[in-house]
mmCIF file of all heavy atoms in Angstrom:
data_model
loop_
_atom_site.group_PDB
_atom_site.id
_atom_site.type_symbol
_atom_site.label_atom_id
_atom_site.label_comp_id
_atom_site.label_asym_id
_atom_site.label_seq_id
_atom_site.Cartn_x
_atom_site.Cartn_y
_atom_site.Cartn_z
ATOM 1 N N PRO M 69 -57.098 116.567 264.758
ATOM 2 C CA PRO M 69 -57.498 117.963 264.665
ATOM 3 C C PRO M 69 -56.471 118.885 265.228
ATOM 4 O O PRO M 69 -55.906 118.595 266.250
ATOM 5 C CB PRO M 69 -58.847 118.021 265.490
ATOM 6 C CG PRO M 69 -58.640 116.881 266.436
ATOM 7 C CD PRO M 69 -57.902 115.824 265.649
ATOM 8 N N ILE M 75 -50.312 134.596 269.320
ATOM 9 C CA ILE M 75 -50.519 135.334 270.533
ATOM 10 C C ILE M 75 -49.276 136.058 271.010
ATOM 11 O O ILE M 75 -48.275 135.434 271.141
ATOM 12 C CB ILE M 75 -50.994 134.389 271.715
ATOM 13 C CG1 ILE M 75 -52.288 133.708 271.281
ATOM 14 C CG2 ILE M 75 -51.183 135.176 273.023
ATOM 15 C CD1 ILE M 75 -52.788 132.598 272.419
ATOM 16 N N ASN M 129 -40.007 126.034 258.184
ATOM 17 C CA ASN M 129 -40.953 124.982 258.222
ATOM 18 C C ASN M 129 -40.929 124.233 259.560
ATOM 19 O O ASN M 129 -39.785 124.003 259.995
ATOM 20 C CB ASN M 129 -40.715 123.838 257.115
ATOM 21 C CG ASN M 129 -40.951 124.455 255.720
ATOM 22 O OD1 ASN M 129 -42.029 124.994 255.409
ATOM 23 N ND2 ASN M 129 -40.003 124.389 254.799
ATOM 24 N N VAL M 133 -44.320 115.620 264.662
ATOM 25 C CA VAL M 133 -44.191 114.247 264.100
ATOM 26 C C VAL M 133 -44.421 113.208 265.231
ATOM 27 O O VAL M 133 -43.990 113.437 266.362
ATOM 28 C CB VAL M 133 -42.760 113.913 263.497
ATOM 29 C CG1 VAL M 133 -42.724 112.617 262.869
ATOM 30 C CG2 VAL M 133 -42.352 115.075 262.563
ATOM 31 N N TYR M 153 -43.740 132.355 258.715
ATOM 32 C CA TYR M 153 -43.029 133.584 258.242
ATOM 33 C C TYR M 153 -42.779 134.397 259.453
ATOM 34 O O TYR M 153 -43.751 134.892 260.156
ATOM 35 C CB TYR M 153 -43.916 134.327 257.234
ATOM 36 C CG TYR M 153 -43.316 135.569 256.751
ATOM 37 C CD1 TYR M 153 -42.058 135.722 256.183
ATOM 38 C CD2 TYR M 153 -44.101 136.813 256.808
ATOM 39 C CE1 TYR M 153 -41.560 136.947 255.709
ATOM 40 C CE2 TYR M 153 -43.636 137.987 256.363
ATOM 41 C CZ TYR M 153 -42.292 138.049 255.820
ATOM 42 O OH TYR M 153 -41.763 139.204 255.420
ATOM 43 N N ALA M 162 -41.953 144.565 267.286
ATOM 44 C CA ALA M 162 -41.359 143.319 267.725
ATOM 45 C C ALA M 162 -41.501 142.243 266.640
ATOM 46 O O ALA M 162 -42.339 142.414 265.675
ATOM 47 C CB ALA M 162 -41.920 142.822 268.983
ATOM 48 N N ARG M 164 -42.857 138.716 264.970
ATOM 49 C CA ARG M 164 -43.964 137.925 265.059
ATOM 50 C C ARG M 164 -43.962 136.792 264.083
ATOM 51 O O ARG M 164 -43.288 136.879 263.025
ATOM 52 C CB ARG M 164 -45.283 138.760 264.942
ATOM 53 C CG ARG M 164 -45.427 139.348 263.529
ATOM 54 C CD ARG M 164 -46.861 140.004 263.459
ATOM 55 N NE ARG M 164 -47.887 138.914 263.327
ATOM 56 C CZ ARG M 164 -49.075 138.971 263.883
ATOM 57 N NH1 ARG M 164 -49.390 139.977 264.702
ATOM 58 N NH2 ARG M 164 -49.917 137.928 263.609
ATOM 59 N N THR M 175 -50.330 111.058 256.757
ATOM 60 C CA THR M 175 -50.459 109.840 257.672
ATOM 61 C C THR M 175 -50.265 108.688 256.854
ATOM 62 O O THR M 175 -50.095 108.728 255.679
ATOM 63 C CB THR M 175 -51.912 109.862 258.298
ATOM 64 O OG1 THR M 175 -52.855 109.646 257.219
ATOM 65 C CG2 THR M 175 -52.335 111.063 259.131
ATOM 66 N N ALA M 182 -42.453 95.596 264.934
ATOM 67 C CA ALA M 182 -41.392 96.610 265.353
ATOM 68 C C ALA M 182 -40.319 96.040 266.355
ATOM 69 O O ALA M 182 -39.240 96.393 266.407
ATOM 70 C CB ALA M 182 -42.184 97.751 266.086
ATOM 71 N N THR M 184 -39.363 92.939 266.513
ATOM 72 C CA THR M 184 -38.705 91.654 265.987
ATOM 73 C C THR M 184 -37.369 91.915 265.266
ATOM 74 O O THR M 184 -37.017 93.132 265.059
ATOM 75 C CB THR M 184 -39.632 90.946 264.980
ATOM 76 O OG1 THR M 184 -39.723 91.709 263.755
ATOM 77 C CG2 THR M 184 -41.053 90.784 265.638
ATOM 78 N N ILE M 188 -40.902 95.769 259.537
ATOM 79 C CA ILE M 188 -41.386 96.285 258.192
ATOM 80 C C ILE M 188 -41.782 97.735 258.374
ATOM 81 O O ILE M 188 -42.674 98.010 259.255
ATOM 82 C CB ILE M 188 -42.488 95.424 257.572
ATOM 83 C CG1 ILE M 188 -42.097 94.053 257.430
ATOM 84 C CG2 ILE M 188 -42.939 96.067 256.294
ATOM 85 C CD1 ILE M 188 -43.293 93.176 256.872
ATOM 86 N N ALA M 214 -29.736 104.961 254.429
ATOM 87 C CA ALA M 214 -30.259 104.051 255.410
ATOM 88 C C ALA M 214 -31.290 104.735 256.236
ATOM 89 O O ALA M 214 -32.134 104.058 256.883
ATOM 90 C CB ALA M 214 -29.092 103.583 256.246
ATOM 91 N N LEU M 216 -33.708 106.685 255.325
ATOM 92 C CA LEU M 216 -34.863 106.975 254.519
ATOM 93 C C LEU M 216 -35.619 105.655 254.238
ATOM 94 O O LEU M 216 -35.016 104.590 254.179
ATOM 95 C CB LEU M 216 -34.493 107.572 253.173
ATOM 96 C CG LEU M 216 -33.752 108.887 253.211
ATOM 97 C CD1 LEU M 216 -33.432 109.337 251.770
ATOM 98 C CD2 LEU M 216 -34.618 109.912 253.790
ATOM 99 N N ILE M 217 -36.926 105.790 254.280
ATOM 100 C CA ILE M 217 -37.767 104.582 253.819
ATOM 101 C C ILE M 217 -37.654 104.463 252.323
ATOM 102 O O ILE M 217 -37.716 105.447 251.548
ATOM 103 C CB ILE M 217 -39.232 104.859 254.234
ATOM 104 C CG1 ILE M 217 -39.327 104.958 255.739
ATOM 105 C CG2 ILE M 217 -40.085 103.733 253.759
ATOM 106 C CD1 ILE M 217 -40.778 105.206 256.186
ATOM 107 N N ASP M 222 -40.852 98.594 253.331
ATOM 108 C CA ASP M 222 -39.463 98.583 253.541
ATOM 109 C C ASP M 222 -39.067 97.465 254.538
ATOM 110 O O ASP M 222 -39.466 97.594 255.772
ATOM 111 C CB ASP M 222 -38.899 99.883 254.043
ATOM 112 C CG ASP M 222 -37.351 100.057 253.846
ATOM 113 O OD1 ASP M 222 -36.691 98.936 254.043
ATOM 114 O OD2 ASP M 222 -36.875 101.160 253.655
ATOM 115 N N ASP M 235 -55.143 91.296 247.652
ATOM 116 C CA ASP M 235 -56.416 90.517 247.420
ATOM 117 C C ASP M 235 -56.993 90.845 246.045
ATOM 118 O O ASP M 235 -58.151 90.527 245.829
ATOM 119 C CB ASP M 235 -57.383 90.902 248.563
ATOM 120 C CG ASP M 235 -57.895 92.342 248.509
ATOM 121 O OD1 ASP M 235 -57.174 93.129 247.836
ATOM 122 O OD2 ASP M 235 -58.987 92.644 249.131
ATOM 123 N N THR M 236 -56.299 91.570 245.166
ATOM 124 C CA THR M 236 -56.764 91.817 243.850
ATOM 125 C C THR M 236 -55.651 91.845 242.873
ATOM 126 O O THR M 236 -54.416 92.136 243.213
ATOM 127 C CB THR M 236 -57.437 93.263 243.896
ATOM 128 O OG1 THR M 236 -57.854 93.664 242.582
ATOM 129 C CG2 THR M 236 -56.448 94.359 244.456
ATOM 130 N N LEU M 241 -47.118 94.216 243.052
ATOM 131 C CA LEU M 241 -46.045 94.469 244.022
ATOM 132 C C LEU M 241 -44.686 94.315 243.386
ATOM 133 O O LEU M 241 -44.341 93.180 242.958
ATOM 134 C CB LEU M 241 -46.218 93.516 245.270
ATOM 135 C CG LEU M 241 -47.546 93.506 245.856
ATOM 136 C CD1 LEU M 241 -47.669 92.513 247.029
ATOM 137 C CD2 LEU M 241 -47.845 94.959 246.416
ATOM 138 N N ASP M 245 -34.614 93.247 246.180
ATOM 139 C CA ASP M 245 -34.055 92.444 247.223
ATOM 140 C C ASP M 245 -32.445 92.865 247.160
ATOM 141 O O ASP M 245 -31.794 92.454 246.241
ATOM 142 C CB ASP M 245 -34.254 91.008 247.032
ATOM 143 C CG ASP M 245 -33.701 90.176 248.283
ATOM 144 O OD1 ASP M 245 -33.095 90.842 249.149
ATOM 145 O OD2 ASP M 245 -34.073 89.079 248.410
ATOM 146 N N ARG M 249 -31.325 94.202 253.049
ATOM 147 C CA ARG M 249 -32.481 95.040 252.907
ATOM 148 C C ARG M 249 -33.301 94.872 251.686
ATOM 149 O O ARG M 249 -32.781 94.520 250.655
ATOM 150 C CB ARG M 249 -32.058 96.561 252.990
ATOM 151 C CG ARG M 249 -33.217 97.492 253.131
ATOM 152 C CD ARG M 249 -32.687 98.921 253.498
ATOM 153 N NE ARG M 249 -33.769 99.846 253.824
ATOM 154 C CZ ARG M 249 -33.440 101.066 254.291
ATOM 155 N NH1 ARG M 249 -32.258 101.524 254.407
ATOM 156 N NH2 ARG M 249 -34.515 101.811 254.568
ATOM 157 N N PHE M 257 -53.353 99.822 239.326
ATOM 158 C CA PHE M 257 -53.762 100.064 238.051
ATOM 159 C C PHE M 257 -55.313 99.886 237.861
ATOM 160 O O PHE M 257 -55.864 99.831 236.835
ATOM 161 C CB PHE M 257 -53.126 99.189 237.007
ATOM 162 C CG PHE M 257 -51.676 99.297 236.977
ATOM 163 C CD1 PHE M 257 -50.763 98.180 237.251
ATOM 164 C CD2 PHE M 257 -51.026 100.512 236.793
ATOM 165 C CE1 PHE M 257 -49.518 98.270 237.280
ATOM 166 C CE2 PHE M 257 -49.644 100.684 236.843
ATOM 167 C CZ PHE M 257 -48.894 99.516 237.090
ATOM 168 N N PRO M 264 -48.430 102.801 232.720
ATOM 169 C CA PRO M 264 -47.934 104.050 232.267
ATOM 170 C C PRO M 264 -46.855 103.875 231.194
ATOM 171 O O PRO M 264 -46.201 102.915 231.143
ATOM 172 C CB PRO M 264 -47.273 104.698 233.518
ATOM 173 C CG PRO M 264 -47.889 104.022 234.704
ATOM 174 C CD PRO M 264 -48.225 102.599 234.218
ATOM 175 N N GLY M 277 -35.364 91.589 233.666
ATOM 176 C CA GLY M 277 -35.447 90.757 234.883
ATOM 177 C C GLY M 277 -36.577 91.284 235.880
ATOM 178 O O GLY M 277 -36.473 91.004 237.025
ATOM 179 N N ILE M 293 -49.601 106.855 238.835
ATOM 180 C CA ILE M 293 -50.494 108.033 238.814
ATOM 181 C C ILE M 293 -49.675 109.242 238.341
ATOM 182 O O ILE M 293 -48.617 109.422 238.847
ATOM 183 C CB ILE M 293 -51.124 108.202 240.134
ATOM 184 C CG1 ILE M 293 -51.999 106.998 240.426
ATOM 185 C CG2 ILE M 293 -52.073 109.459 240.107
ATOM 186 C CD1 ILE M 293 -52.562 107.058 241.905
ATOM 187 N N ILE M 295 -48.194 112.616 238.612
ATOM 188 C CA ILE M 295 -48.001 113.519 239.756
ATOM 189 C C ILE M 295 -48.323 114.908 239.394
ATOM 190 O O ILE M 295 -48.339 115.776 240.251
ATOM 191 C CB ILE M 295 -46.483 113.439 240.274
ATOM 192 C CG1 ILE M 295 -45.572 113.917 239.103
ATOM 193 C CG2 ILE M 295 -46.164 112.048 240.784
ATOM 194 C CD1 ILE M 295 -44.105 114.029 239.674
ATOM 195 N N ASN M 297 -51.083 115.867 238.584
ATOM 196 C CA ASN M 297 -52.369 116.079 239.201
ATOM 197 C C ASN M 297 -52.240 116.214 240.660
ATOM 198 O O ASN M 297 -52.913 115.428 241.477
ATOM 199 C CB ASN M 297 -53.359 114.809 238.852
ATOM 200 C CG ASN M 297 -53.597 114.761 237.331
ATOM 201 O OD1 ASN M 297 -53.702 115.844 236.708
ATOM 202 N ND2 ASN M 297 -53.823 113.517 236.956
ATOM 203 N N ILE M 321 -46.573 86.004 262.948
ATOM 204 C CA ILE M 321 -47.245 87.173 262.683
ATOM 205 C C ILE M 321 -48.031 87.014 261.392
ATOM 206 O O ILE M 321 -47.604 86.633 260.341
ATOM 207 C CB ILE M 321 -46.314 88.472 262.529
ATOM 208 C CG1 ILE M 321 -45.585 88.637 263.887
ATOM 209 C CG2 ILE M 321 -47.126 89.746 262.285
ATOM 210 C CD1 ILE M 321 -44.610 89.819 263.770
ATOM 211 N N SER M 322 -49.276 87.468 261.416
ATOM 212 C CA SER M 322 -50.169 87.524 260.234
ATOM 213 C C SER M 322 -51.029 88.745 260.419
ATOM 214 O O SER M 322 -51.874 88.792 261.364
ATOM 215 C CB SER M 322 -50.990 86.309 259.980
ATOM 216 O OG SER M 322 -51.738 86.439 258.829
ATOM 217 N N SER M 338 -54.142 101.467 256.655
ATOM 218 C CA SER M 338 -54.999 101.496 257.817
ATOM 219 C C SER M 338 -55.368 100.033 258.209
ATOM 220 O O SER M 338 -55.273 99.117 257.357
ATOM 221 C CB SER M 338 -56.327 102.193 257.518
ATOM 222 O OG SER M 338 -56.944 101.773 256.482
#
Side-chain angles (χ1 to χ4, degrees):
I75 302 176
N129 291 307
V133 189
Y153 176 54
R164 63 171 286 139
T175 61
T184 72
I188 302 175
L216 300 174
I217 297 180
D222 192 333
D235 68 343
T236 173
L241 305 178
D245 189 351
R249 188 168 188 173
F257 303 120
I293 300 173
I295 63 172
N297 295 328
I321 298 175
S322 181
S338 57

